[in-house]
């Protein structure tokens, strides 16, 4: 299965795309961080709200890269359907497409659409699709309604993940003493 670094490296977010993501979802990231800080005020949270905002922005960048990959792969299937006439290749493409569509199904016997399948898909596109009709890996991020829903879900999942981390760390933070308290305790002993 592809790692996050591979996907973000193959489908990078440009500065312009990041600016657009920040323009559209920056306030939502700030709001999610504010809510996280508010909900965890009794948990002795040591996170600064701006640090949480940065974590949420990183989640947005990751969502953008994943969505670019998803649109690229779906466009590859579309152009292959239009240009392939050989029955064997059509069946191979259909099986790859089924793997892609089943990627969200859970189960022990589930096969995954991973790096190997993506390499096969790329080679099929290079062999059977004219150069001017091929989808590009470096195409700009398409911020449509489907992406907006996806990005919001990623943001809220990242916020919940940060909240769980704060809650898990509460037990060891309760015994911590700040430097100002340490000085006070040291003077009185």
């Amino acid at each position: 299965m592809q790692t996050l670094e591979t996907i973000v490296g193959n489908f990078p977010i440009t500065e312009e795309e990041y600016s657009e993501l920040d323009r559209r979802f920056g306030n939502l990231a700030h709001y999610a961080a504010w809510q996280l800080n508010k909900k965890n005020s009794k948990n002795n949270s040591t996170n600064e709200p701006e640090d949480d905002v940065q974590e949420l922005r990183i989640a947005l960048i990751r969502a953008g890269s994943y969505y670019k990959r998803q649109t690229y792969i779906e466009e590859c299937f579309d152009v292959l359907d239009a240009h392939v006439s050989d029955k064997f290749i059509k069946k191979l493409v259909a099986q790859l497409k089924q793997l892609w569509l089943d990627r969200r199904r859970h189960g022990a016997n589930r096969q995954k659409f991973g790096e190997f399948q993506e390499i096969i898909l790329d080679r099929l596109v290079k062999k059977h699709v004219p150069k001017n009709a091929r989808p590009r890996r470096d195409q700009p991020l398409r911020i449509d309604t489907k992406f907006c829903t996806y990005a919001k879900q990623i943001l809220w999942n990242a916020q919940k993940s940060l909240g769980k981390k704060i809650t898990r760390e509460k037990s060891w933070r309760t015994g911590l003493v700040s430097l100002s308290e340490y000085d006070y305790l040291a003077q009185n002993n």
Side-chain angles (χ1 to χ4, degrees), residues 7 14 16 22 44 56 63 73 77 87 114 117 157 163 166 180:
I7 292 173
T14 63
E16 294 82 23
D22 192 45
N44 299 332
L56 296 172
I73 289 173
F77 285 128
K87 287 182 181 181
Q117 287 78 13
N157 287 346
I166 291 169
S180 61

Side-chain angles (χ1 to χ4, degrees), residues 88-99:
F88 176 76
I89 301 297
K90 274 195 174 287
K91 191 166 191 149
L92 180 62
V93 170
Q95 288 179 345
L96 284 173
K97 191 172 188 175
Q98 192 59 48
L99 269 179

Side-chain angles (χ1 to χ4, degrees), residues 41-52:
S41 62
K42 295 178 184 171
N43 288 345
N44 299 332
S45 176
T46 57
N47 290 6
E48 290 293 322
E50 195 56 40
D51 292 337
D52 292 335

Side-chain angles (χ1 to χ4, degrees), residues 1-188:
M1 192 158 137
Q2 288 192 329
T3 62
L4 172 64
E5 295 85 20
T6 306
I7 292 173
V8 172
N10 288 339
F11 300 93
I13 298 297
T14 63
E15 281 187 48
E16 294 82 23
E17 291 168 340
Y18 175 75
S19 296
E20 183 64 19
L21 284 172
D22 192 45
R23 185 184 71 74
R24 289 186 181 220
F25 302 103
N27 288 338
L28 184 60
H30 279 279
Y31 178 72
W34 172 77
Q35 269 195 328
L36 184 66
N37 197 25
K38 183 179 158 192
K39 287 179 183 176
N40 290 294
S41 62
K42 295 178 184 171
N43 288 345
N44 299 332
S45 176
T46 57
N47 290 6
E48 290 293 322
E50 195 56 40
D51 292 337
D52 292 335
V53 170
Q54 294 304 321
E55 287 288 328
L56 296 172
R57 284 183 175 145
I58 290 170
L60 276 174
I61 292 171
R62 189 175 60 239
S65 290
Y66 272 68
Y67 194 72
K68 282 175 101 170
R69 176 180 179 254
Q70 180 177 332
T71 55
Y72 169 76
I73 289 173
E74 289 170 354
E75 288 176 6
C76 285
F77 285 128
D78 291 343
V79 296
L80 281 170
D81 284 341
H83 290 89
V84 171
S85 58
D86 182 67
K87 287 182 181 181
F88 176 76
I89 301 297
K90 274 195 174 287
K91 191 166 191 149
L92 180 62
V93 170
Q95 288 179 345
L96 284 173
K97 191 172 188 175
Q98 192 59 48
L99 269 179
W100 174 253
L101 294 173
D102 288 346
R103 71 189 181 281
R104 293 187 194 110
R105 268 192 23 220
H106 298 286
N109 296 328
R110 177 177 79 130
Q111 288 186 333
K112 296 182 176 149
F113 188 94
E115 196 169 357
F116 180 69
Q117 287 78 13
E118 195 169 329
I119 291 169
I120 292 171
L121 186 66
D122 283 338
R123 290 188 180 172
L124 287 171
V125 168
K126 285 179 183 172
K127 182 167 175 104
H128 297 284
V129 177
K131 197 169 195 168
N132 60 348
R134 293 179 193 160
R136 294 183 1 245
R137 284 182 173 264
D138 61 345
Q139 64 190 350
L141 176 64
R142 205 177 311 149
I143 301 180
D144 52 9
T145 55
K146 188 176 172 184
F147 175 74
C148 289
T149 304
Y150 179 66
K152 289 174 186 175
Q153 186 65 44
I154 293 294
L155 258 177
W156 290 120
N157 287 346
Q159 180 210 30
K160 285 173 43 178
S161 176
L162 287 170
K164 286 179 183 177
K165 182 179 173 188
I166 291 169
T167 304
R168 264 195 322 268
E169 294 172 352
K170 178 186 177 187
S171 61
W172 63 265
R173 274 196 311 272
T174 55
L176 295 179
V177 176
S178 72
L179 291 176
S180 61
E181 291 172 327
Y182 178 78
D183 291 339
Y184 175 76
L185 292 172
Q187 290 175 358
N188 291 331

